[in-house]
Amino acid sequence: MTDATPIIEATNLDKFYGTFHALKDVSLSVHPGQKLVICGPSGSGKSTLIRCFNGLEWHNSGRLVIDGTEVHEHAKEIRALRQEVGMVFQQFNLFPHLTVLENLTIGPMKVRKISRAQAEETARKYLDRVHIPEQADKYPAQLSGGQQQRVAIARSLCMETRIMLFDEPTSALDPEMINEVLDVMVELAETGMTMVVVTHEMGFARKVADTMVFMEDGQIVEVSPPETFFTNPESERCRLFLDQILEH
Amino acid sequence: MSVTDTSLFKGAPLPKPPPVQRFFGSTLVSVALYLGIIGVIVWGSFTGAQNMGYNWQWYRVPQYLYSFTDDGFQAGELLIGLAATIQLSLTAFVLACLLGLLVALLRLSGLVIGSAVAVGFLEFIRNIPLLVLLYLFYYVLGPIFGFDRYTASILTLAVFHSALISEILRAGILAVDRGQWEAAKSIGMSPGQTYRYIILPQSVRFMLPPMTGEVVHLIKSSAIVSVIAVAELTTFGRNIISDTYMSFEIWFTVAMVYMAVTLILSVGVSYLERRYAVDQ
């Protein structure tokens, strides 16, 4: 089900914050259409890793090739590349001074130079896709957390990105709103989008992921298909982690 | 909503504040005290002036503000001066904002040379008195670069206030959540686009109150250009006094005119702020 050439290929990435070694020799590849779920205890480098994938953080050594182009801190191509890689944040990060519709159209209009009419048409299509077409003219603060996160997903979709990164998209949500966001993400997965998701929602992972990644202390400890990952993980640390979060 | 019928409540009433606190806390006592203090000040200055034999001539003041002739309403010297003050302040403010934005962006640029230039400029301006800066522009830079006293005073005010305004702009920009930068980056915006469409529109909300203070400050400090005889409100007041010797009345009037302008400004902006707050 995966192509031969990976769309994201990280080779031996290392990343430091001052003296803190955040990523240790991380290698990982993501193929077009793949759904990768990354989990692990907090501080294990999951967020750092996916933030490297769209240039919000920079690796200090190693190679990172995205869509055939090698990227690093001083690469000129990074802005063009960011338009291909969408990101959904834990804290939504919607633009509070713009309406929902404006949040969705500002990227296509200013970055892709698409006409307002066309951008709005696309925006309404994706608002439909995330099931909140009626909220187009409201401001983000007037929406619930779950609705805001769905707008954030739609904002990324409006850029017609080829890869979507999710950085703990449901961690800041009230429990009753988690499912409406996960449902949208499941539907998105069904369209064939390439997704890299950092999450602790194991139900979602079981349903959507074709590859599970477990990270600890800045290292990738285990990469396996969900069937093996949940029933018979290779590493002891992964088994312990799963026991802890699946207990309840 | 206030409920006066305490019999509706099942719980025991809370103890009342002590009598002294209740006395000074009441509106009536506050107003009386306020009027009393103002009265003492006004009475004190009048009797003081009386004792030194000052001849009050308030009836001669209105003609310097306005008059009615056959041609209708005529602005007096003080109003013409006020118009000049506002024009001077407004021009200086616009220049100060542009210069301030440049300094703020230099400082935030992350370039060593950028922040060195910005910090050097800030420290230089902040640590010399406004009057000395004015003399520098008028007596030193004016002859060198060949500009007149009006330009010298506009440049002085603009440069002096740009230092303070750049700090307001910088604080406003930094007050915007870091996630906004990341979100803008992640949809492929350039730093310039991010400032223009995302960061600056949001920082206006943080900048509005200190910026109002800065405009008020600028209007007030514009009075200093009267020392190089630029035609504005304070200069006109001085000229009237040298003609009429009514120093008490004219200075009081000039003070009131400044106060009226700055108060109207402050009230106007706080109304704007409330309008702004609704959208957030």
Side-chain angles (χ1 to χ4, degrees):
Chain A
M1 64 168 293
T2 53
D3 284 345
T5 44
I7 195 163
I8 300 177
E9 188 168 26
T11 324
N12 309 115
L13 293 191
D14 274 86
K15 162 83 187 162
F16 290 87
Y17 291 112
T19 56
F20 178 68
H21 204 166
L23 293 180
K24 296 172 188 162
D25 193 27
V26 170
S27 296
L28 185 70
S29 40
V30 183
H31 291 82
Q34 207 176 0
K35 279 91 190 138
L36 208 92
V37 170
I38 307 178
C39 62
S42 57
S44 59
K46 319 177 290 279
S47 291
T48 309
L49 181 61
I50 73 161
R51 287 163 63 85
C52 281
F53 290 166
N54 77 337
L56 290 176
E57 305 285 351
W58 292 109
H59 50 288
N60 299 110
S61 68
R63 260 169 71 86
L64 179 60
V65 178
I66 295 177
D67 205 11
T69 314
E70 176 168 6
V71 293
H72 53 84
E73 190 161 2
H74 307 292
K76 285 203 182 76
E77 300 84 4
I78 186 62
R79 264 192 70 205
L81 221 54
R82 280 204 189 106
Q83 298 174 28
E84 306 302 324
V85 186
M87 174 77 131
V88 174
F89 300 90
Q90 185 176 356
Q91 299 294 341
F92 328 138
N93 294 349
L94 293 177
F95 306 129
H97 61 302
L98 302 177
T99 63
V100 167
L101 196 65
E102 290 166 339
N103 262 280
L104 302 192
T105 54
I106 193 157
M109 281 168 58
K110 303 301 176 193
V111 179
R112 288 209 193 272
K113 313 286 182 201
I114 287 170
S115 75
R116 174 182 295 275
Q118 208 186 332
E120 286 189 357
E121 197 188 312
T122 316
R124 290 191 192 278
K125 179 177 94 187
Y126 285 118
L127 274 182
D128 254 351
R129 177 90 66 86
V130 299
H131 313 303
I132 36 175
E134 71 285 0
Q135 312 286 5
D137 298 316
K138 289 197 180 163
Y139 284 90
Q142 293 168 291
L143 304 185
S144 72
Q147 291 172 325
Q148 289 190 46
Q149 193 60 298
R150 287 186 281 153
V151 172
I153 293 173
R155 178 173 65 180
S156 264
L157 289 173
C158 281
M159 291 300 290
E160 309 281 4
T161 53
R162 302 178 52 201
I163 310 166
M164 287 272 276
L165 310 172
F166 294 83
D167 188 3
E168 306 207 22
T170 55
S171 301
L173 294 175
D174 290 335
E176 78 270 22
M177 292 170 185
I178 289 177
N179 279 331
E180 64 186 57
V181 172
L182 291 180
D183 287 346
V184 165
M185 289 168 63
V186 171
E187 290 167 23
L188 184 62
E190 284 162 0
T191 66
M193 174 70 78
T194 309
M195 292 165 72
V196 181
V197 185
V198 170
T199 187
H200 291 140
E201 295 295 332
M202 289 304 133
F204 168 80
R206 257 188 248 249
K207 203 183 292 179
V208 166
D210 46 38
T211 309
M212 293 296 302
V213 176
F214 177 72
M215 286 185 76
E216 192 173 46
D217 287 333
Q219 285 167 312
I220 291 184
V221 176
E222 174 141 358
V223 180
S224 54
E227 308 86 65
T228 16
F229 185 86
F230 287 111
T231 51
N232 189 21
E234 277 171 39
S235 74
E236 188 55 31
R237 285 186 289 178
C238 185
R239 199 190 309 269
L240 277 172
F241 176 76
L242 285 176
D243 281 349
Q244 274 166 348
I245 63 168
L246 295 178
E247 221 163 58
H248 304 288
Chain B
M1 191 187 78
S2 69
V3 181
T4 40
D5 189 5
T6 47
S7 63
L8 283 172
F9 302 135
K10 284 187 191 144
L14 295 172
K16 287 206 165 84
V20 179
Q21 202 180 327
R22 255 186 293 161
F23 179 75
F24 284 105
S26 80
T27 316
L28 198 68
V29 174
S30 300
V31 170
L33 269 176
Y34 181 75
L35 291 178
I37 291 167
I38 297 289
V40 166
I41 292 171
V42 170
W43 178 79
S45 26
F46 265 80
T47 49
Q50 225 75 47
N51 291 343
M52 58 185 274
Y54 190 83
N55 177 22
W56 292 96
Q57 301 176 70
W58 279 108
Y59 65 93
R60 289 176 63 192
V61 171
Q63 57 170 319
Y64 295 110
L65 286 169
Y66 60 87
S67 54
F68 285 99
T69 62
D70 295 341
D71 299 334
F73 180 85
Q74 299 287 320
E77 278 176 60
L78 287 180
L79 283 195
I80 294 171
L82 174 64
T85 287
I86 289 174
Q87 197 193 358
L88 182 77
S89 307
L90 220 63
T91 319
F93 180 67
V94 172
L95 282 177
C97 282
L98 294 176
L99 193 57
L101 185 63
L102 185 72
V103 174
L105 292 181
L106 267 181
R107 194 144 178 219
L108 291 167
S109 65
L111 301 170
V112 176
I113 178 74
S115 33
V117 168
V119 171
F121 173 78
L122 285 181
E123 292 307 322
F124 179 71
I125 298 303
R126 269 199 300 215
N127 291 300
I128 54 174
L130 178 57
L131 187 57
V132 175
L133 192 68
L134 180 67
Y135 285 157
L136 263 177
F137 269 96
Y138 183 52
Y139 292 115
V140 181
L141 299 179
I144 293 175
F145 294 103
F147 47 74
D148 61 358
R149 62 186 67 203
Y150 191 71
T151 317
S153 37
I154 285 182
L155 288 179
T156 306
L157 291 171
V159 165
F160 186 77
H161 287 273
S162 72
L164 305 156
I165 284 173
S166 83
E167 289 293 275
I168 295 174
L169 292 173
R170 196 171 73 98
I173 288 168
L174 290 177
V176 176
D177 182 50
R178 205 170 62 105
Q180 295 290 309
W181 276 100
E182 295 187 344
K185 256 190 193 177
S186 78
I187 56 172
M189 282 195 175
S190 68
Q193 289 174 324
T194 309
Y195 269 120
R196 180 160 163 215
Y197 301 114
I198 309 299
I199 305 297
L200 289 178
Q202 292 186 63
S203 29
V204 168
R205 180 163 54 113
F206 301 111
M207 292 172 190
L208 214 45
M211 211 54 129
T212 317
E214 204 47 43
V215 176
V216 167
H217 186 184
L218 197 153
I219 291 175
K220 290 187 298 177
S221 57
S222 76
I224 206 168
V225 307
S226 66
V227 302
I228 57 168
V230 169
E232 48 76 70
L233 183 53
T234 306
T235 310
F236 278 40
R238 263 207 331 202
N239 293 346
I240 296 168
I241 290 163
S242 54
D243 289 345
T244 62
Y245 301 105
M246 299 192 298
S247 44
F248 286 20
E249 294 92 331
I250 296 297
W251 284 135
F252 271 126
T253 312
V254 167
M256 287 302 158
V257 172
Y258 274 115
M259 234 176 93
V261 172
T262 51
L263 278 180
I264 288 170
L265 197 69
S266 305
V267 171
V269 172
S270 62
Y271 170 76
L272 265 184
E273 259 169 65
R274 256 171 292 149
R275 282 283 304 274
Y276 244 93
V278 178
D279 283 347
Q280 295 302 324

